[in-house]
Amino acid sequence: MVSTLSDLACNSYLKKKNMWGYRLLCIMLLHFRVIFSVSSVKLCSPEESFALLQFKNTISMDASASSHCDAAVTYPKTKSWNKDGDCCSWDGITCDEMTGHKLNLACNDFNGTKISSNFGQFTKLTHLNLSFSYFSGIVPSQISRLSKLVALDLSGDIPGTKFEQHTFNNLAKNLTELRYLLLDNVQMFSVVPSSLLNLSSASLISLSLGSGFLQGEFPIDIFHFPFLRQLTLSDNRHLTGNLPKSNWSSPLRILDLSVTKFSGKITDTIGNLRDLKFLDLSACYFDGLIPNSFWNLTEITYLAFEANFFSGQVPASLSNLKQLTVLNLEDNQFSGEFPDVFGNLSKLTRISLAHLNFTGQLPLSAFNLTQLSLLELSRNQFVGQLPCHASCLPLSHLKLGGNFLDGRIPSWLFNLSSLINLDLS
């Protein structure tokens, strides 16, 4: 059985971010899963079979095909395609009388082949997944004829394909049922961000445009799309924008704006995002205080504010975020005493609080976190001593340099078999 496109969307997102254990997060986010069955009735038309075979004859493929996607078995999915069989039985293709056709050629190495204009003939397609298949060149305009598409994934791990403005305009106009649009590493520098508003707000669930060379101002109205659960805009270094200042109520579960030029302040309205699980605002231009309402987003598992201009104190209400596995606040302008609340955050695997102005006692509760692999508290003004005893820590990185610690180095520190990076300078 071929994986659903929502699964592959998660995999592509995990691969790009290298997120520590976030498969569960994505499974919870992308709930859309349909199991396709092949009907006894021949569902594939001769025209569709012919077009697919034409496509097969125009491509060159690496023999290992899917090895770069860590597949257990590596082979070209097009190997089973031949004129004698119903194309609905071919590998990578599934058909269903009720739900339409699905074409999944993800994780095939097509060696820079251009996406065929013949794809425009597959008008019954509801899912088209060409992710991580090393296509190149301009996305053909014919793809905008696939009016039944629910999910389109052209993502890759390197820039290969490119959207032109007129093709994107037609896609947004014609694909009114589109729920999942995943275009990470698709070059979109000729696409005006405001044209994203032409996508169907009534259906869109996932919009992922990471590393897409977008430039200009991102339309704030997209944050108000009523069914949007994932918005990924990371690594668009010339994309500007702001978060909504009022009336922001959304089912968002993943919001990734990292390495963009988004700026401004976070306002109280962010407290309405009750389903938010993943928030990455790293390397942006946000400033000001974190509003009190933010610390009530108790579903968050991944929180990264690294390299912004946030200021003020971190309150003890940080302890409300009991699902946190990753906390990264480093390289901001926070100050004051950091609350020692890690005892309530038992799921943490990574803590990064480096290059801040925190004062007061070293937060010793961090040394009792049994899943913690990284603890980075360097370049603050913490005082105190390391604890005499610590739980069985799986620490691989411990960085405490640039503080005002004193006392003896405890013996347990020398018994950490997993430790590969230690800084006590």
Side-chain angles (χ1 to χ4, degrees), residues 217-346:
E217 185 172 0
F218 184 78
I220 199 168
D221 287 347
I222 288 183
F223 288 104
H224 296 287
F225 277 20
F227 302 106
L228 193 64
R229 295 190 176 192
Q230 177 189 5
L231 179 59
T232 299
L233 302 173
S234 56
D235 291 303
N236 285 288
R237 297 168 185 265
H238 300 289
L239 183 66
T240 63
N242 302 99
L243 295 177
K245 295 181 179 179
S246 61
N247 300 321
W248 190 15
S249 180
S250 167
L252 268 175
R253 295 187 180 185
I254 288 180
L255 178 58
D256 188 351
L257 306 179
S258 60
V259 198
T260 65
K261 288 189 175 180
F262 270 75
S263 61
K265 293 176 170 46
I266 298 177
T267 64
D268 280 330
T269 193
I270 199 171
N272 296 328
L273 306 184
R274 298 292 185 177
D275 296 322
L276 195 63
K277 296 180 181 299
F278 180 99
L279 179 61
D280 194 344
L281 305 182
S282 299
C284 293
Y285 294 85
F286 291 104
D287 60 19
L289 306 177
I290 306 298
N292 290 333
S293 64
F294 176 81
W295 306 109
N296 293 322
L297 299 179
T298 56
E299 296 299 313
I300 284 188
T301 61
Y302 183 105
L303 174 58
F305 285 166
E306 176 187 1
N308 279 279
F309 301 95
F310 291 118
S311 57
Q313 289 188 273
V314 175
S317 50
L318 168 65
S319 64
N320 293 339
L321 310 186
K322 291 181 171 58
Q323 303 303 316
L324 268 185
T325 61
V326 174
L327 174 64
N328 187 347
L329 305 180
E330 69 177 52
D331 197 12
N332 275 281
Q333 297 174 4
F334 292 116
S335 59
E337 292 192 15
F338 187 85
D340 192 356
V341 295
F342 292 128
N344 295 323
L345 305 176
S346 60

Side-chain angles (χ1 to χ4, degrees), residues 5 60 102 121 137 145 226 254 264 296 305-306 339 364 371 391 410:
L5 186 127
S60 60
K102 174 184 176 183
Q121 299 180 36
R145 298 175 184 171
I254 288 180
N296 293 322
F305 285 166
E306 176 187 1
L364 297 182
Q371 301 182 59
S391 299

